[in-house]
Amino acid sequence: MKIVSYNVNGIKARLPRLIEYLAEQQPDVVCLQELKSSDETFPEADIRAAGYGAVWHGQKSWNGVAVLAKGSDPVERQRGLAGETEDDHSRYLEAEVDGVVIASIYLPNGNPQPGPKFDYKLRWMERLAARARDLLAEEKPVVLAGDYNVIPNDDDTFSVRAMQDDALMQPESREAFRRLVAQGWTDALRTRHPKGGVWTFWDYQAGAWQRDAGFRIDHLLLSPIAADRLLDAGVDKEYRAREKASDHAPTWARLR
């Protein structure tokens, strides 16, 4: 089972690239982030025509997450996280596919920091950690896949100096991510590429792609049962080079 996390940065603008990716790679599950589409305008017909069922949690112009499954409809389990009833951001969607629980996550960016957006990011991470603990208690294969907007380690970025003031790399962001992983989750990409230097995002600005000035913010965290089934993990980097591509590349883990 190839499970992919893919921040498409606008599903309407990126739909040809997404359909192309589905046709060429035939992943079993794709977790999408940053749909920037309302529930009503989600392109369900196009995705079904490509051979995929879908559940989605949209929001006009911002945020938005979805789970796609090849040849079947994912069974939705939960949308949104408990803890802040006034939070209307579409950032979390949880579904089950072939016995595997899969969450698509679009964690808040947190910039500028310090400030209310950074405070919201940290609170959201605590709410995610609470849900993650509950999922571990179910003792099922679980994959938390998404754009975490956290650079966990210094070797996960092209330049520590360039990113040192960014919310993605603040000590508080990193510590919250470490606490989450320490519950018992396995960072699939880090496990397969322990020396770092693997990027999942390249900004559109300043020739970042051409200079390979990227960093790793898309992660797939595996529960112990899922981690026991891990065969490989990687980044389909070449899709970032295509015309009108997302600034993220599809990031994946393959399970037995």
Side-chain angles (χ1 to χ4, degrees):
M1 177 183 278
K2 182 177 182 178
I3 301 170
V4 178
S5 178
Y6 193 3
N7 180 321
V8 290
N9 190 11
I11 194 165
K12 294 173 192 172
R14 236 60 68 186
L15 186 59
R17 295 287 80 81
L18 173 61
I19 299 301
E20 185 177 74
Y21 181 76
L22 296 177
E24 293 176 5
Q25 295 294 326
Q26 292 286 307
D28 299 284
V29 180
V30 182
C31 296
L32 302 178
Q33 301 90 36
E34 214 172 346
L35 302 176
K36 299 180 180 177
S37 165
S38 67
D39 281 340
E40 296 74 23
T41 57
F42 182 82
E44 180 184 12
D46 297 276
I47 288 169
R48 285 202 177 277
Y52 286 76
V55 292
W56 61 93
H57 183 23
Q59 185 173 346
K60 186 178 179 181
S61 303
W62 305 101
N63 307 320
V65 285
V67 179
L68 317 184
K70 184 169 69 173
S72 67
D73 289 322
V75 178
E76 182 175 329
R77 289 170 44 110
Q78 179 172 315
R79 58 179 54 203
L81 292 171
E84 289 192 35
T85 55
E86 68 279 12
D87 183 6
D88 59 357
H89 287 199
S90 300
R91 294 183 176 276
Y92 183 90
L93 183 62
E94 185 181 299
E96 190 160 333
V97 180
D98 291 338
V100 180
V101 178
I102 298 164
S104 183
I105 293 164
Y106 180 45
L107 206 143
N109 178 284
N111 283 303
Q113 69 82 30
K117 290 187 176 181
F118 190 62
D119 296 340
Y120 170 61
K121 178 191 187 91
L122 297 180
R123 293 197 311 274
W124 203 96
M125 294 184 80
E126 289 304 314
R127 292 161 59 202
L128 175 61
R131 180 58 188 159
R133 278 191 293 272
D134 290 344
L135 288 170
L136 284 176
E138 293 188 28
E139 296 188 350
K140 291 183 175 181
V142 182
V143 181
L144 304 180
D147 176 1
Y148 282 72
N149 271 314
V150 176
I151 299 170
N153 310 286
D154 285 356
D155 58 10
D156 287 321
T157 176
F158 76 102
S159 170
V160 171
R161 177 178 292 182
M163 299 302 296
Q164 64 185 355
D165 296 325
D166 198 285
L168 279 59
M169 215 175 79
Q170 293 310 296
E172 298 93 334
S173 306
R174 287 179 158 185
E175 176 57 28
F177 185 81
R178 279 195 291 269
R179 286 199 303 270
L180 174 61
V181 173
Q183 293 179 355
W185 300 91
T186 294
D187 181 341
L189 202 58
R190 189 73 182 182
T191 299
R192 298 298 295 170
H193 305 275
K195 295 181 180 179
V198 177
W199 317 145
T200 67
F201 171 91
W202 298 258
D203 202 302
Y204 291 130
Q205 307 299 318
W209 169 251
Q210 291 76 11
R211 296 185 294 117
D212 197 29
F215 40 84
R216 184 175 79 100
I217 53 175
D218 302 273
H219 311 302
L220 295 99
L221 301 186
L222 312 180
S223 70
I225 295 172
D228 285 345
R229 294 168 55 180
L230 178 63
L231 295 173
D232 201 4
V235 182
D236 288 330
K237 181 178 176 180
E238 63 273 19
Y239 288 87
R240 175 62 179 83
R242 300 197 179 185
E243 185 180 359
K244 296 183 179 178
S246 172
D247 43 9
H248 295 251
T251 305
W252 53 270
R254 195 183 300 277
L255 308 183
R256 279 197 309 276

